[in-house]
Amino acid sequence: MQAITVRDRAAGSAGLSLTDIPYPHAAENDVIVRVHAAGFTPGELDWPATWSDRAGRDRTPSVPGHELSGVVVELGYGTTGLTVGQRVFGLCDWARDGSLAEYVAVEARNLAPLPADVDHTAAAALAISGLTAWQGLFDHGRLMTGQTVLIHGATGGVGSIAVQLAREAGARVIGSGRAASREAALGLGVDEFLDLQSDAVEDVGEVDLVLDVLGGEILDRSTALVRAGGTLVTIAEPPRVQPEKGQALFFVVEPVRVRLADLAQRLRERRLKPIVGDVRPLCEAPAAFAPGRRNPGKTIIRVTEG
């Protein structure tokens, strides 16, 4: 089968190539999925798990990409809850070959059934972004009706979902981004837009929750905005500064089947819409990883046509 693989860590995105690799093996509690659409995180090539397994052994050539939507074609021993021919979407394990391939082995518990009327492209764009937004806002951030949340990167893959979920929960939403993202953020329903190129982060005032996807200086300066009892949640890097009277925490998204199913239902009911940016064939995935790309929304790789 064909897949995007990477062998040379020093080469970065230039080391990605379309190659032929063996068909995957379904271990116990796995399923094999024929991938229709896949997503990736641009920073994956810097993750230790891209290069070594859980025991620290080199696992190159490795296949990146950890979001997928497709159809189950094989069940591993002991697998329950899914059937051959079923449409599914979800996440691949961080330390195993990923979704930028025609077929992938995935733990069944990392996947949820995908309704027949939900497009594979939208589902792939929703998997990690939707789970990350939900867990950041509600599981870790404990966002409640009437509170104020600042969402950095409001028109990105995670941020755009977070804005919609926070609005539905009855929160006041401040979204940040570059000036070019203002209209898109307002279209998503933010109550206020923070232009990170010209506005001072501190001008926002106190908020109950900050959801950060950017890290760096923006993360450091945002801690001062957290009011007493509030929280800053980031997926970018462990926070270096703690709020005076609140808390700041870093988390990595976890696959939760029931939450994936809930997100898919919201998609069906048009209560949630992921912003899909570029849609490229598998052979163009290496170019999609190129640093410096700032296209709005989530880039999706179309692996199987039709």
Side-chain angles (χ1 to χ4, degrees), residues 103-245:
Y103 297 89
V104 63
V106 189
E107 283 191 78
R109 66 185 181 91
N110 291 0
L111 301 170
L114 181 68
D117 55 352
V118 176
D119 180 71
H120 284 296
T121 299
L126 182 64
I128 284 182
S129 295
L131 283 175
T132 301
W134 183 278
Q135 291 170 15
L137 290 173
F138 304 115
D139 294 344
H140 299 290
R142 305 184 304 279
L143 184 67
M144 300 174 62
T145 300
Q147 291 186 329
T148 298
V149 56
L150 168 61
I151 299 172
H152 287 310
T155 59
V158 173
S160 60
I161 298 296
V163 168
Q164 296 172 70
L165 291 173
R167 287 281 297 171
E168 185 180 54
R172 177 174 177 267
V173 181
I174 304 169
S176 84
R178 292 174 170 265
S181 301
R182 178 184 296 273
E183 293 306 315
L186 293 172
L188 287 168
V190 301
D191 297 285
E192 182 180 339
F193 181 76
L194 174 69
D195 183 348
L196 293 176
Q197 294 172 295
S198 61
D199 299 334
V201 171
E202 293 75 13
D203 291 344
V204 167
E206 289 189 336
V207 299
D208 299 285
L209 173 63
V210 177
L211 180 60
D212 170 69
V213 301
L214 304 176
E217 181 187 3
I218 296 298
L219 170 59
D220 293 343
R221 293 167 61 190
S222 295
T223 59
L225 307 179
V226 179
R227 63 169 46 106
T231 307
L232 182 149
V233 178
T234 179
I235 62 170
E237 57 182 315
R240 294 175 290 271
V241 183
Q242 286 288 326
E244 287 188 14
K245 298 181 181 180

Side-chain angles (χ1 to χ4, degrees), residues 69-94:
S69 183
V71 176
V72 175
V73 295
E74 184 181 337
L75 303 179
Y77 178 78
T79 300
T80 60
L82 298 174
T83 60
V84 171
Q86 188 169 20
R87 302 172 89 242
V88 293
F89 81 116
L91 283 61
C92 300
D93 189 283
W94 309 121

